[in-house]
Amino acid sequence: MTTEIWLVTEGEHTKATVYGPVGMPDFPEFVWKQDDERVHIDGWNELYQLLCTKNPVGLTPAYVDERLVEVLKHWLLTEAEGEDSELRMWIDQIVDTDPDEVMAARWICRARHVMVVTGAGMSTESNLPDFRSKDGWWRNIDPVTVATVEALEKQYELFHAFYQARLEALYEAEPHQGHNILAKWEEVGVVSGIATQNVDGLHTAAGSEQVHELHGSIHSIRCYSCGQEAELHAFHEGRGCDSCDGKLRPGVVLFGEMLPQKAWDEALKQIEQADVVLVIGTSLEVYPANQLPWMTRGRTVYMNMELNADASAFDAVITGKAKEVLTKLDKKLELYCANN
Ligand SMILES: [Zn+2]
């Protein structure tokens, strides 16, 4: 009984064929034929090496035996060189997944600095309501009336109740697998930092260290009048500032306030240096954080449940929940980029 494994690529002037009617499926022998050149290949490793040397990306894949898929996936994710459009064509023909997902994994594999920008969608799987999606609880409360300096000054009771409820919701929340993956990627040197619009502290809780909180942190309490820091429990008890009896507030950026300069500057610096920017779970509606993805010279990847008009401006778009998408990417990296 013979085994046939085929990779046939067809281009305008050249044709590469791998075929091998001999050997066992797990240790096949192939012949690589390109133009008039014939090369005998002994095993998957040699085939992989040949793919790297010959780099047939410019050719059109016509037929690929499914037993070649694994070695081709590995090659496409790591070594293959070519225009994005050519690589996408190969992925489309060969790998039974979303080309954008494979391209994103490929860029992360090869990147020196990956920067991450996260929004509310990053936290929804930690049982936190997302403010802008259909089920977000801000649908019932207009944020412009509560998360504002005006509410803090003139409707302190409502302001206080709103942030107390948000803090209480946080006690139930824990980082999910997606947060953990980003923390792990930082630990192994893939991710250089995270700029987040979230004030919940979940990235830090998961172990990420380079976290730039663009909208501040809900956990730090200070006096609105004199700026002195206060304990969280003082805020919960509805007390005033110890020094001046001023109103206590969480350290979040309210509508109408400036972003913390240091967090912004550091995020921007890392984004400018990044080879890849991953934008996760944000509808990109809030200025100026929504400008960050466009301040890189690197590739941009958008991951969100719902796509908006800006999505087409990204180099790759992956639809899905943060946890699911990051888990899928992480699995690809572990399988194919272990030595990276
Ligand atoms: Zn004070």
Side-chain angles (χ1 to χ4, degrees):
M1 181 108 175
T2 56
T3 310
E4 291 195 33
I5 300 171
W6 293 77
L7 157 77
V8 181
T9 59
E10 288 179 38
E12 213 173 319
H13 303 295
T14 182
K15 186 173 177 176
T17 312
V18 177
Y19 57 96
V22 284
M24 301 292 287
D26 57 339
F27 197 70
E29 279 180 61
F30 306 104
V31 176
W32 176 286
K33 182 166 174 269
Q34 190 165 0
D35 297 327
D36 291 327
E37 188 187 1
R38 289 171 71 96
V39 184
H40 283 269
I41 315 161
D42 189 9
W44 298 117
N45 286 342
E46 273 190 29
L47 174 60
Y48 184 76
Q49 289 308 320
L50 202 72
L51 282 167
C52 299
T53 321
K54 300 284 184 185
N55 195 47
V57 161
L59 306 179
T60 311
Y63 172 73
V64 175
D65 187 282
E66 61 180 26
R67 280 158 293 190
L68 289 170
V69 165
E70 280 308 308
V71 75
L72 286 167
K73 267 191 196 174
H74 192 280
W75 167 69
L76 282 167
L77 270 161
T78 54
E79 299 292 337
E81 294 295 342
E83 298 291 325
D84 282 2
S85 57
E86 293 172 334
L87 289 160
R88 276 173 195 276
M89 192 174 63
W90 273 78
I91 294 161
D92 244 350
Q93 296 267 334
I94 292 163
V95 190
D96 188 23
T97 41
D98 176 9
D100 282 30
E101 214 178 279
V102 180
M103 292 303 279
R106 185 182 142 88
W107 297 330
I108 296 169
C109 256
R110 298 154 71 99
R112 277 174 305 143
H113 300 290
V114 176
M115 183 63 185
V116 183
V117 179
T118 64
M122 184 73 211
S123 297
T124 41
E125 289 152 294
S126 288
N127 300 320
L128 278 182
D130 157 12
F131 303 129
R132 280 160 202 282
S133 74
K134 289 189 248 17
D135 302 324
W137 69 328
W138 277 21
R139 291 265 297 179
N140 304 319
I141 304 173
D142 186 353
V144 179
T145 64
V146 190
T148 60
V149 175
E150 205 186 2
L152 168 56
E153 286 176 353
K154 294 176 186 160
Q155 289 182 283
Y156 186 70
E157 223 167 282
L158 177 66
F159 176 91
H160 186 267
F162 178 69
Y163 279 104
Q164 195 158 28
R166 288 197 59 191
L167 275 162
E168 274 161 15
L170 261 179
Y171 296 134
E172 312 278 309
E174 279 179 15
H176 58 67
Q177 188 58 21
H179 292 106
N180 296 339
I181 286 169
L182 292 179
K184 183 183 80 178
W185 287 359
E186 183 185 319
E187 203 186 322
V188 299
V190 174
V191 160
S192 50
I194 300 173
T196 186
Q197 294 170 280
N198 301 335
V199 296
D200 51 43
L202 289 172
H203 285 302
T204 308
S208 290
E209 287 176 11
Q210 286 288 316
V211 182
H212 313 297
E213 294 179 308
L214 301 174
H215 293 172
S217 164
I218 198 168
H219 301 287
S220 63
I221 304 293
R222 67 172 191 266
C223 170
Y224 178 53
S225 303
C226 74
Q228 181 175 296
E229 287 177 19
E231 298 286 334
L232 204 51
H233 66 85
F235 180 75
H236 276 303
E237 289 160 15
R239 282 167 27 202
C241 169
D242 280 346
S243 312
C244 73
D245 202 34
K247 291 165 180 157
L248 295 186
R249 59 162 291 175
V252 300
V253 177
L254 301 172
F255 285 95
E257 286 185 318
M258 298 284 287
L259 263 54
Q261 194 65 40
K262 185 165 171 263
W264 175 263
D265 288 347
E266 284 173 359
L268 192 58
K269 195 174 145 202
Q270 286 188 320
I271 279 186
E272 284 169 349
Q273 289 171 345
D275 311 296
V276 180
V277 175
L278 308 178
V279 178
I280 307 172
T282 164
S283 50
L284 294 170
E285 283 169 11
V286 180
Y287 182 88
N290 64 356
Q291 299 305 304
L292 284 175
W294 317 123
M295 294 176 175
T296 182
R297 281 185 296 261
R299 312 267 191 186
T300 52
V301 182
Y302 186 51
M303 311 176 192
N304 202 22
M305 278 295 285
E306 296 160 23
L307 302 184
N308 62 15
D310 284 337
S312 58
F314 285 82
D315 295 311
V317 175
I318 308 172
T319 316
K321 293 181 179 170
K323 182 167 78 175
E324 286 167 14
V325 174
L326 285 168
T327 304
K328 274 196 272 185
L329 276 178
D330 187 51
K331 211 166 271 175
K332 278 197 170 59
L333 296 185
E334 275 187 355
L335 274 175
Y336 302 110
C337 310
N339 301 327
N340 231 348

